[in-house]
Amino acid sequence: MSFPLAFLSLLFELGLGYPDRLVRVIGHPVIWIGKLISFLDTSLNRATDTDARRRFLGVVALAVIVTVPATIAFAMERLFGLLPFGMLLTAIAASSLVAQRSLGSHVKAVADALDSGGIIAGRKAVSQIVGRDPERLDEAGVSRAAIESLAENFSDGITAPAFWLAVFGFAGGAAYKAANTADSMIGHRNSRHEAFGWAAARFDDLINLPASRLTALAIVLAAFLVPGTDPKSAWQAVWRDAKKHRSPNAGWPEAAMAGALGLALAGPRAYGGIMVDDAFMGDGGRREATAADIRAALRLYWTADALMVGILGLIAFIFWF
């Protein structure tokens, strides 16, 4: 177990983030992983192959996508372990796998855009964090999209990498990030990726099971501390609605957020011109979300994140001593 590594990684990311200058100079792990995924997709995913062969090659591609970053991260952790303050060096490197600061800032940007520039600015800001068609969204749709993205990415972008860092060290966190990036790039149900991306999508569902449940619990607990939010409704929404979501994982944090805020999230949405009929999360019945609701969701998010970091720190302290 590597609870201290996960805890320190979260602290470093909270304090430092991933500097833009560093992105310009050397890029970011997600960019490097994305290039590997694109290369394998171009090289192995051929439309002339049968679905069975494309599915097999998708499994091979996923194995490469996960193994390469995990091996590099494992070697780095071993190398840093030979140096003074090796744990701190590893934690700084691993902090690139979590995204507390960037998630919060991107979602806040949507609320700020709605307040200062109206629906046009809001659509532009939300298009940076969601895959649905922004031009179809009114102010309430933009606000709901931002809140849903905040809930889902809290699980995928923070809790899950921290969880796998804690369980399997730097290699575990890197493997998770690679698999999650693969799902976002090739795990789509379209003619090109239905077969080739099948393994990436199913594997991502599996490895996000623990984090989605933990994130929902963190949001419920945070609702006890954030004025104006309802922990009882959050808990009820999770148990009633999470399993109705088309994703086995996204419904958990979304339902918790919906219940806590008294909103009805999810439901029918358009992606790439295609309507996706999804169940509603939360029984609040209120669909007319606003920028104020985004800010309330952010207060809930930061409180839940602080709880998670604090609990992880306590466990790390026990492991240290």
Side-chain angles (χ1 to χ4, degrees):
M1 292 289 186
S2 298
F3 288 103
L5 174 62
F7 171 63
L8 290 172
S9 298
L10 288 169
L11 285 186
F12 277 124
E13 199 278 333
L14 270 176
L16 303 174
Y18 194 91
D20 291 339
R21 181 179 297 179
L22 200 59
V23 175
R24 291 192 294 269
V25 174
I26 66 171
H28 185 278
V30 171
I31 297 174
W32 310 330
I33 292 167
K35 289 180 178 179
L36 174 62
I37 295 168
S38 295
F39 170 75
L40 292 170
D41 187 24
T42 302
S43 303
L44 300 179
N45 188 13
R46 294 181 288 268
T48 54
D49 286 342
T50 65
D51 281 352
R53 178 168 175 77
R54 292 173 86 176
R55 183 172 291 194
F56 169 75
L57 290 174
V59 173
V60 173
L62 179 63
V64 174
I65 292 164
V66 170
T67 301
V68 170
T71 301
I72 293 172
F74 179 79
M76 289 177 64
E77 187 167 10
R78 284 299 184 93
L79 176 62
F80 289 154
L82 301 175
L83 303 174
F85 308 106
M87 171 70 80
L88 295 180
L89 294 174
T90 305
I92 291 172
S95 69
S96 64
L97 304 176
V98 294
Q100 300 158 105
R101 282 168 59 105
S102 62
L103 175 59
S105 64
H106 277 93
V107 174
K108 181 178 180 295
V110 179
D112 292 343
L114 285 172
D115 283 340
S116 62
I119 185 61
I120 301 300
R123 286 170 176 165
K124 182 177 180 181
V126 84
S127 69
Q128 304 300 310
I129 58 174
V130 300
R132 67 194 68 176
D133 301 335
E135 297 307 315
R136 295 193 178 199
L137 300 175
D138 56 10
E139 181 179 352
V142 168
S143 300
R144 290 194 305 272
I147 294 168
E148 291 159 10
S149 179
L150 176 65
E152 184 174 356
N153 285 293
F154 184 9
S155 177
D156 292 0
I158 300 164
T159 312
F163 177 86
W164 292 111
L165 278 169
V167 175
F168 292 121
F170 194 10
Y176 168 79
K177 200 67 177 180
N180 185 245
T181 304
D183 175 62
S184 68
M185 292 182 65
I186 62 174
H188 308 295
R189 292 182 176 178
N190 54 34
S191 58
R192 176 165 179 79
H193 293 121
E194 179 76 34
F196 186 75
W198 172 84
R202 298 291 78 75
F203 187 61
D204 185 70
D205 286 344
L206 178 64
I207 60 179
N208 274 297
L209 284 172
S212 61
R213 278 69 176 168
L214 290 171
T215 303
L217 178 59
I219 292 171
V220 171
L221 293 176
F224 282 98
L225 304 174
V226 178
T229 59
D230 188 340
K232 181 179 178 181
S233 293
W235 181 259
Q236 291 173 339
V238 168
W239 287 109
R240 183 188 61 245
D241 301 330
K243 59 182 178 294
K244 301 175 186 176
H245 201 285
R246 65 190 178 96
S247 164
N249 296 307
W252 289 75
E254 283 187 20
M257 190 71 78
L261 298 174
L263 290 171
L265 298 177
R269 290 162 289 182
Y271 293 87
I274 300 173
M275 285 300 298
V276 175
D277 188 16
D278 203 355
F280 287 107
M281 301 289 107
D283 66 348
R286 185 167 65 90
R287 296 283 285 167
E288 297 304 309
T290 66
D293 291 303
I294 299 176
R295 298 189 192 282
L298 281 166
R299 289 193 292 273
L300 199 59
Y301 158 70
W302 282 117
T303 303
D305 184 69
L307 285 172
M308 185 177 68
V309 174
I311 293 170
L312 190 57
L314 178 61
I315 298 172
F317 179 82
I318 293 171
F319 268 75
W320 259 323
F321 298 102

